[in-house]
Amino acid sequence: MSQQEPINWSRKSLQELREFWYAEIELSLRRAGHDLESRPTYQDLVDAGFSGIAYTLREHHDMTLTEFLETVGYEDPDTESSYQWGIDNETTIDALEAFLRRVERKRAEATADSKRYRLATYVRLYESVHGTAAIADRVMDESNRYDELRRVEAVCDALEDDLESPQSMLRYLSDVHQFYEHVSSRHGSAFVPTDDVDHREIWQDQVPDEPDNPTLESTQVGTLYDAAESPDERLVVLALCAWGLRRNEVAGLHVSQLVLEGDDLHIHFDERKNGPGTVALIYGVDELADRLDELGARDREWSGYLFPSNQSESGHITGETVQARFQRLADRADIEVRGEQPTSKVGRRFWYTTYNDAVDDLLENLDVIAAEQGSSDPSVVLKNYLSEAERRKYRREFMRERLAEAFER
């Protein structure tokens, strides 16, 4: 469905809204670069063109967006029930909690909460279908391998009845598989029953072919930057493409967030999508400092916002204004991505693509060291022979080189 076509939200039943979520909204969120492991926010839906769902849920179904998201696989992270497994097997519960503690150490809390909800759904179905939730115990005995595979397949059948899209089914199966792998590596289980589950291949075949998320080419970023006619236009390109900020983050940038002295130059955020965090300033610091000097010299009562606005109550421009400025610049530079004018998200996506390429460059340069250590995998060197500070230093150096190729043509 094209997002230009009007959506008649009020005529959709609750079941039809769920089906529309799986068939349309999730696909649009994926195309926009949203990580479907994380619970979407209302702003994510607004940005994707689906703001009407919150109103129709409230007015026609007496349900909040948070409550609806729970029905499509996203548990509210603030809800105590997300920590109630609903099964009667302490061994399995202990294994589940240990697995999620590892996830929380490595990834955002929201990701762990989503996994917790999906795993709870799985273990409750397992207990409902088989009369017990002794999952962790059963995989300890090799003689159970065949029977346990059949049991997992039966739970997948039940899961298939409850979920609408193959993408959702695959997310559940992926989390379950990770849990079984955890039981194998940390608790010494004899086998991983999800290794040979037929449903994975069946569900993968049902996923519609989707093109990769479009992004800007390096030469296009350089063309955009060259076409900028003012310091604020150049800063918009840097903020999106060189720092990887969201458009609302660009709009509200404040001098108090900037750390421009020392060895770790960065932007600090008290609140981001996944909580507080920092963004490294690897490139464009001189341009940023010039912008600060210009704003400070121009107005003695400057509010500190890098994109100030006298018309806005907030004191700064909006994310929509950032979007409009970026698209006007793309129009002036005659830049298109797959035949369409690029959005700010496409610019931000360039940062992610470039960072991944920089990490690949680093791994290629570690090949020699890996060979000397008798390893065919350079990532082993990166992980085991370099400190975290060294890894960060080298990643940033390679990223800086990639960004320079784009901006300094």
Side-chain angles (χ1 to χ4, degrees), residues 354-365:
T354 304
Y355 186 80
N356 288 333
D357 290 341
V359 173
D360 289 341
D361 290 344
L362 173 57
L363 291 175
E364 287 179 7
N365 280 269

Side-chain angles (χ1 to χ4, degrees), residues 207-219:
V207 175
D209 292 333
E210 289 293 328
D212 293 336
N213 287 325
T215 186
L216 291 165
E217 299 290 338
S218 180
T219 54

Side-chain angles (χ1 to χ4, degrees), residues 21-22 25-27 29-30 34-40 69 71-74 99 114-119 122 159 163-179 200 203-204 207:
W21 176 274
Y22 296 124
I25 299 179
E26 280 194 339
L27 296 181
L29 290 173
R30 182 185 296 106
H34 182 79
D35 177 11
L36 293 181
E37 291 288 332
S38 302
R39 181 175 175 272
L69 288 174
T71 72
V72 292
Y74 295 99
F99 168 67
S114 296
K115 288 182 181 293
R116 184 184 298 272
Y117 178 79
R118 296 184 188 116
L119 287 171
Y122 174 81
L159 192 62
L163 300 176
E164 298 293 332
S165 74
Q167 292 95 331
S168 295
M169 299 169 199
L170 286 169
R171 284 205 304 276
Y172 274 78
L173 184 56
S174 174
D175 289 344
V176 172
H177 181 65
Q178 290 173 27
F179 167 66
R200 180 182 290 107
W203 292 340
Q204 285 173 341
V207 175

Side-chain angles (χ1 to χ4, degrees), residues 36 196 211 231 306:
L36 293 181
D196 301 311
L306 273 68

Side-chain angles (χ1 to χ4, degrees), residues 8-69:
N8 197 333
W9 294 106
S10 62
R11 292 194 176 184
K12 293 184 182 295
S13 68
L14 193 56
Q15 180 59 32
E16 287 172 334
L17 286 173
R18 293 192 189 99
E19 292 172 357
F20 186 76
W21 176 274
Y22 296 124
E24 297 290 342
I25 299 179
E26 280 194 339
L27 296 181
S28 294
L29 290 173
R30 182 185 296 106
R31 292 191 195 104
H34 182 79
D35 177 11
L36 293 181
E37 291 288 332
S38 302
R39 181 175 175 272
T41 65
Y42 174 70
Q43 188 59 49
D44 291 329
L45 297 176
V46 172
D47 292 343
F50 300 109
S51 59
I53 190 172
Y55 176 84
T56 198
L57 285 169
R58 183 176 65 252
E59 296 299 320
H60 298 284
H61 303 287
D62 195 26
M63 176 181 282
T64 66
L65 179 61
T66 295
E67 290 169 341
F68 174 80
L69 288 174

Side-chain angles (χ1 to χ4, degrees), residues 247-376:
R247 66 186 188 186
N248 287 335
E249 293 172 340
V250 177
L253 271 178
H254 193 272
V255 66
S256 63
Q257 297 174 256
L258 307 178
V259 177
L260 301 180
E261 296 181 356
D263 296 329
D264 182 22
L265 310 185
H266 63 269
I267 306 171
H268 175 75
F269 291 91
D270 289 329
E271 291 295 334
R272 291 198 92 194
K273 200 170 188 178
N274 294 322
T278 61
V279 172
L281 287 169
I282 298 173
Y283 187 88
V285 175
D286 290 342
E287 290 82 355
L288 176 57
D290 289 344
R291 175 66 170 165
L292 297 177
D293 290 342
E294 177 201 3
L295 289 167
R298 190 175 67 188
D299 184 358
R300 292 185 177 181
E301 297 182 0
W302 173 45
S303 64
Y305 288 111
L306 273 68
F307 296 96
S309 171
N310 294 327
Q311 286 73 41
S312 171
E313 291 184 5
S314 66
H316 59 78
I317 64 175
T318 65
E320 288 73 19
T321 301
V322 172
Q323 174 89 300
R325 291 184 182 182
F326 184 78
Q327 292 191 299
R328 282 199 302 269
L329 183 56
D331 183 61
R332 186 190 311 149
D334 195 23
I335 295 294
E336 291 186 346
V337 176
R338 293 182 181 169
E340 296 182 355
Q341 191 180 66
T343 64
S344 58
K345 284 189 176 182
V346 174
R348 180 172 181 253
R349 200 172 292 137
F350 169 80
W351 185 94
Y352 283 96
T353 302
T354 304
Y355 186 80
N356 288 333
D357 290 341
V359 173
D360 289 341
D361 290 344
L362 173 57
L363 291 175
E364 287 179 7
N365 280 269
L366 291 175
D367 280 343
V368 175
I369 301 176
E372 290 177 353
Q373 296 293 334
S375 173
S376 60

